[in-house]
Amino acid sequence: MIRCSQPAPGVPRPGHMIVCGDDALAERLAAELATVYREQVTLVVPPSRRPDATTGRARAAALLGWIQTAMNRTEGPNGSSLTGRVRLLEAAVLDEAALSGMGAREAAALALVHDDDETNIHAALAARRLNPRLRLVIRLYNRKLGQHLEELLDQAAALAVPGLDPEALDTSTTVLSDADTAAPALAATAVAGTSKIVQAGGLLLRAVERTPPGHGRIAAPGLCTLAVLSSTTNDPAGSEGSDASGREAPILLPDDDTVTAATGRGTVVLETVTHTASRIAQRRLARRGLPLGSLFSRRLRWSLAGLLGCVLGMAVATWLTTDEHPLHAAYLTLLDLFAIGDPALDGPAARQVLQLLAGLAGLLLLPVLLAAVLEALGTFRTASALRRPPRGLSGHVVLLGLGKVGTRVLARLRELDIPVVCVEEEPEARGIPLARRLRVPTVLGDATQEGVLEAAKIHRAHSLLALTSHDTTSLEAALYARSVKPNLRVALRLYDDAFATAVYRTLRAAHPRALTRSRSVSSLSAPAFAGAMMGRQVLGAIPVERRVLLFAALNVAGHPRLEGRTIAESFRPGKWRVLALDTAEPDERLPDLAATPANHGVERPGGLVWDLHPGYVLRPEDRVVLAATRQGLAELLGRQPWLGTRTADA
């Protein structure tokens, strides 16, 4: 049974989006679709568990108010309201009748983001029977089951619609995990301090705002210049992000002449996310074998070096005092050292003194050799276990928590070759085997206890990324880390939004020179789910003041504005711009460029080329990555003509 909790919208138009969920991810996903992509969204939530009907209506009203507040923050400059873009329904069971009642037969995409895997699977099977052309986005925690479910639903769509376009079939079902989708943004927050990132071809790209460098000069463009900010952005008396017409408005995807002429205005450039660690950290963490420093402690190495120096000195003294051959003198010294030589009763006094000294050195050498053997055995015994942080490590990321999210973030950081030291309280945590396999230094212990963060070299770390499942633990660890290093970059994963806001403001006020970020998995994963609902060609979106730039991967074939044109000719200022070219063979390309090759278990022979020659001619078999406005992407794809009327909010 379906009950509408909002009286206004009526029957949704064909091609709308449906989101079914019971937590914050569903709310944020609906807001993302309505605000960023300007889609008409139907949000389906389970009815309130309480018998009082007013409770359900109050919850529905609060939910719609939260989404409307988010939408009002991104209204177009012409004051166009987004009221009516979202309608709220309540459904107890997601069967075929309920899905048909909410408009699944005419919908373009359906997202099933309930916290229960079984509920999502049942609804996905029913939706595929109801509408074989429907694009499905399913939230599952079991990744292996998700791969099998994708193949099953795609095969069902192919059998139900024999003439279905292979490209459309390739994007008909997408199974995502909120932990997997939030990992790139969390990694970028720890490294670059921002979540304005897009993942493409295994790279993390970020949008960076640069202040105007002065008259007559422009900032280095990075990969490319995405936008010229409004003239009031850097004016204390102005209104940041002003939507006034004329030169004050931000200019999206400008050409080189526009960027050069916009003196005194900031720019937004696209850069790759990199991490500058110390050479010692990169060298030591890159080693696969067991270095000498891991086998023997520093004190033991100095003891061995001192004893060897004494033995060498006694061998030289024996050679000089007895006129023996140097090799014979060294042999006699070794015999005396191990107490197996004849006593020099009839020898000269110098020979007798040296023999006594050699015997004393031999007594000192025995415990040192025994300690070396014990240390080496202990090191080899733990070689397959967890590593300890190397001495002299600096410029690394301290990762707290190796649970579901922490494991994904650890894998992403290591893919970027970023040095990491993990801290985990539970020896049997989910990410411990991954840390052991990747030979990532790990400290076992409670991060709130004294000495644990010190063992992770927090005083020389680049940033702290707290991903524990307890808000208080993450906050306590962050406060203690700040007491050790006040300018440490801190990113916390907090569940409660109000608590996260209060923590962020307090830490920012207490440490104004240190970067602090509080992140929610639902807010970080919602853009990836929204991009999957739009089709895998949409890699992500980056806000620029009150406007949005979309990043998409498109096959050149079938697009006359790209096919047969050079890179320079295909550029449309204010609409779209080609950024990169996928050099992989068509049959070896990943269907989703936003996914890393490691997630698919394959190695790609090619990759994305970002430094494109302006005279390169785009061929039909090419696939490109481009940045576009909402209006520009709609025009390029030739779909959703109603977007074309919104010229102001492009």
Side-chain angles (χ1 to χ4, degrees), residues 275-286 388-398 414 417-421 441 453-464 485 488:
H275 178 70
T276 304
S278 66
R279 294 183 178 180
I280 296 177
Q282 292 178 344
R283 183 173 63 252
R284 293 190 176 185
L285 288 180
R388 294 179 297 178
R391 300 177 181 87
L393 177 64
S394 63
H396 57 287
V397 176
V398 177
R414 292 308 301 138
D417 292 327
I418 296 173
V420 187
V421 175
L453 288 179
E454 284 84 351
K457 314 294 183 184
I458 192 65
H459 56 287
R460 292 200 297 265
H462 172 268
S463 59
L464 171 69
K485 187 178 180 181
L488 180 69

Side-chain angles (χ1 to χ4, degrees), residues 224-267:
C224 71
T225 301
L226 297 177
V228 175
L229 298 176
S230 61
S231 58
T232 60
T233 301
N234 299 288
D235 183 8
S239 175
E240 183 177 354
S242 173
D243 290 316
S245 60
R247 295 183 58 189
E248 290 188 353
I251 305 173
L252 302 184
L253 300 176
D255 54 19
D256 294 338
D257 295 337
T258 303
V259 176
T260 305
T263 56
R265 299 173 64 175
T267 58

